[in-house]
Amino acid sequence: MNDLTSTATAPRMSASPQRLRSLLEAGLPLTERPWRALAEQCGMSEGEVLAWVERWQREGLIKRLGLVVRHHALGIRANAMVVWDLPNAAVAEIGRRLAAEPAVTLCYRRRRCPPVWPYNLFCMIHGTRRERVLAALDEIVQRHGLQGIPRRVLFSRKAYKQCGGRYTCEERS
């Protein structure tokens, strides 16, 4: 067993790697040497920080490091979630095709909640104006032959929060 396993018999992760995980959730510091800055905050060396991140990647605990774009500040004000009611046998294939579309920024499968919510595939399309988002959607529908597929377009009205995932309980300073 390794020290990242969370069973009753496994040793607990030491405070420094736990702190590192919490800091990574908050995002990389915007400095010339972000790994060194994290190391200083955790009481570790830069090499130790990189070793932990590489280990977590190997073990599948970190799949990727990404960023959250504050798209509204960039002038992207039309955000539409398009929800689709696809035949179950077609969801995986159509989902892969929609995810490959440049205009689609997020695409995922969800469970239906009948009778109120029949939709099983969601995707996000962002644009500077509603008209552009709808035009991009129309092109996608035509390109993939989705004209007869029931869908709804849900435009955002207000953003309350946007951040990456949070998995630790540690207070952030």
Side-chain angles (χ1 to χ4, degrees):
M1 254 182 237
N2 63 43
D3 64 344
L4 296 177
T5 307
S6 61
T7 64
T9 58
R12 293 182 55 90
M13 185 186 311
S14 66
S16 292
Q18 180 70 23
R19 175 83 174 128
L20 174 60
R21 263 188 25 205
S22 179
L23 290 169
L24 282 171
E25 289 175 7
L28 292 177
L30 296 176
T31 68
E32 188 174 317
R33 306 272 312 259
W35 303 113
R36 181 171 58 187
L38 287 172
E40 290 169 0
Q41 293 177 64
C42 295
M44 302 168 83
S45 72
E46 190 173 11
E48 288 173 306
V49 165
L50 289 170
W52 274 103
V53 171
E54 289 170 4
R55 175 182 176 175
W56 291 334
Q57 286 178 314
R58 269 193 324 274
E59 294 175 352
L61 297 173
I62 294 177
K63 297 287 186 192
R64 64 181 177 87
L65 295 174
L67 59 102
V68 175
V69 175
R70 306 284 183 221
H71 53 273
H72 195 77
L74 295 174
I76 299 170
R77 304 200 189 294
N79 310 304
M81 177 176 287
V82 183
V83 294
W84 306 83
D85 180 9
L86 294 164
N88 288 333
V91 175
E93 174 58 29
I94 293 173
R96 279 191 287 278
R97 291 189 314 191
L98 291 179
E101 283 287 336
V104 173
T105 57
L106 179 69
C107 186
Y108 53 97
R109 185 176 191 167
R110 285 283 175 106
R111 203 174 22 200
R112 302 172 197 272
C113 294
V116 191
W117 195 254
Y119 307 104
N120 57 354
L121 188 72
F122 295 28
C123 68
M124 289 295 298
I125 302 174
H126 299 282
T128 55
R129 295 190 332 259
R130 290 173 70 100
E131 298 78 26
R132 289 189 178 178
V133 169
L134 292 171
L137 175 59
D138 286 344
E139 290 173 14
I140 290 169
V141 167
Q142 294 301 316
R143 200 168 21 258
H144 296 283
L146 301 173
Q147 296 87 340
I149 302 296
R151 67 181 177 275
R152 289 184 65 191
V153 182
L154 309 169
F155 279 94
S156 301
R157 292 185 185 191
K158 179 171 178 51
Y160 292 101
K161 181 178 181 180
Q162 185 179 7
C163 66
R166 301 289 189 254
Y167 306 99
T168 59
C169 298
E170 182 177 320
E171 285 291 320
R172 287 174 185 79
S173 47

